[in-house]
Amino acid sequence: MTKIIIEVAKVEPITKDWIVRYYDKKDKLISSHVIKDRTEHEAEEEAIADMPLECEDWTLVEKI
C-alpha cells in the first residue's frame, strides 16, 4: 500500500491600502478616504459600511 501525504501551506492574505470614492446621482464626488492595510474583500465591506446616505455609486482602487 502506498501512503500519500498532502501538505497544506497557509497563505496569508495580501493586504493593501485602498482609496474609496463616493458619488451622488449626478456623478459628483461627495466623499473619499483611504482604507489602510485590508484585503480587497475587507476594504469593500468597510467601504459599504461607511457609505454616505446620498451615495449612488462608489469606486475602490488600490492606492499606489
Side-chain angles (χ1 to χ4, degrees):
M1 179 187 283
T2 303
K3 191 174 193 179
I4 298 174
I5 299 173
I6 299 173
E7 289 186 32
V8 178
K10 184 175 180 184
V11 178
E12 293 296 321
I14 298 172
T15 60
K16 300 176 182 179
D17 294 343
W18 303 88
I19 301 170
V20 60
R21 295 181 180 101
Y22 302 103
Y23 302 90
D24 67 10
K25 62 183 174 185
K26 295 181 181 178
D27 292 330
K28 180 182 174 189
L29 179 67
I30 54 175
S31 178
S32 69
H33 66 275
V34 175
I35 298 174
K36 294 187 175 222
D37 196 31
R38 303 281 191 277
T39 64
E40 185 173 11
H41 180 74
E42 291 168 336
E44 287 173 351
E45 289 182 337
E46 191 170 325
I48 291 168
D50 293 343
M51 191 175 296
L53 292 175
E54 66 273 19
C55 179
E56 293 288 325
D57 197 12
W58 61 281
T59 60
L60 182 70
V61 294
E62 182 182 346
K63 184 179 179 189
I64 299 176

